Amino acid sequence: MNYTELTAAVQDYTQNEETSFVSNIPLFVRQVEERMNRAVLLPELRKNVTGTVVAGSKYLARPADFLAVFSLALINASGDYTYLIDKDVNFMREAYPSVSTTATPKYYAQFDGDYDGEQGNFILGPTPDVNYTAELHYYYDPPSIVTTGTSWYGDNAETALLYGTLLEAYVYMKGEPDLIAEYSKRFQTAMGDLTGVQIRSDRDEYRDGAL
């Protein structure tokens, strides 16, 4: 299901072509995409990027589309990986109060989030002694089907995308409670199916056995 097909289906289901309603369909779609992105963490929502950790600097900028960490590793000049352990900022400040304490970092924490157009940062401990390559595996917010025309959800989870959008649309329309409840039920069922995909993606059924 592409975006054109989705908007047509929403108007057909709701039998509503009123101008303000149609102009708000992109908002309904983005709202349900946001809910889906935060409810399930599928491999299709992961990215892998590399950057440079600079000697003497405790901070590493997060990607602009960052949502959640999967793993963070440092790679030294020999190509050896060191996977960092997630801690909170209080631990980092107490364990490494001095920036001048340098070595291969062992820990990281999310120092701050995005604000005023600035990217959030990780803080590392201890302070890097030399430059390292950082490899971040992370979950991200993918571009909306509203802007791209197609998406993984549209191709592989159209039931959840459709009923989630219809749910937002009927809330906007102040629709009948029983119909809102029905669309909510169908959306939750479809999200349950996606959760099953997420669970299976984290397993190896050859070694772990079938669910």
Side-chain angles (χ1 to χ4, degrees):
M1 174 181 286
N2 59 38
Y3 181 63
T4 300
E5 293 167 336
L6 177 59
T7 55
V10 170
Q11 292 178 71
D12 289 343
Y13 272 74
T14 60
Q15 297 184 331
N16 189 345
E17 296 183 358
E18 191 267 329
T19 302
S20 63
F21 173 80
V22 173
S23 67
N24 274 291
I25 291 178
L27 174 61
F28 306 151
V29 175
R30 289 191 176 98
Q31 286 175 326
V32 72
E33 286 176 326
E34 181 178 297
R35 293 173 66 184
M36 294 171 73
N37 290 341
R38 284 147 182 76
V40 293
L41 295 175
L42 301 165
E44 286 74 18
L45 301 180
R46 294 180 195 163
K47 273 188 178 181
N48 186 281
V49 295
T50 57
T52 301
V53 171
V54 179
S57 175
K58 301 183 70 164
Y59 301 101
L60 175 66
R62 303 185 326 188
D65 58 357
F66 175 86
L67 184 59
V69 180
F70 186 78
S71 67
L72 176 59
L74 298 185
I75 310 170
N76 64 20
S78 300
D80 299 323
Y81 277 70
T82 300
Y83 280 88
L84 305 189
I85 300 171
D86 183 24
K87 295 291 185 179
D88 60 36
V89 174
N90 292 337
F91 171 90
M92 305 293 283
R93 292 301 197 197
E94 185 172 349
Y96 304 103
S98 175
V99 177
S100 62
T101 302
T102 63
T104 302
K106 297 179 180 180
Y107 308 101
Y108 77 98
Q110 296 198 44
F111 182 71
D112 57 5
D114 301 339
Y115 62 95
D116 293 336
E118 299 292 330
Q119 293 174 219
N121 296 276
F122 298 110
I123 184 171
L124 309 178
T127 303
D129 52 347
V130 297
N131 289 358
Y132 294 91
T133 297
E135 182 177 272
L136 176 66
H137 207 82
Y138 70 102
Y139 294 100
Y140 75 106
D141 272 329
S144 172
I145 194 174
V146 175
T147 55
T148 60
T150 60
S151 71
W152 188 90
Y153 288 140
D155 293 339
N156 299 278
E158 65 177 46
T159 301
L161 184 61
L162 173 60
Y163 283 111
T165 304
L166 287 172
L167 179 58
E168 298 294 340
Y170 269 93
V171 170
Y172 171 86
M173 292 169 58
K174 301 177 177 62
E176 295 295 328
D178 58 341
L179 195 52
I180 291 176
E182 178 62 25
Y183 286 148
S184 179
K185 178 182 176 181
R186 295 190 182 193
F187 175 64
Q188 294 301 328
T189 298
M191 288 302 295
D193 294 339
L194 271 183
T195 300
V197 173
Q198 176 187 335
I199 292 170
R200 285 176 170 81
S201 71
D202 292 333
R203 293 170 51 88
D204 179 341
E205 290 198 352
Y206 175 76
R207 297 183 183 278
D208 300 333
L211 289 173

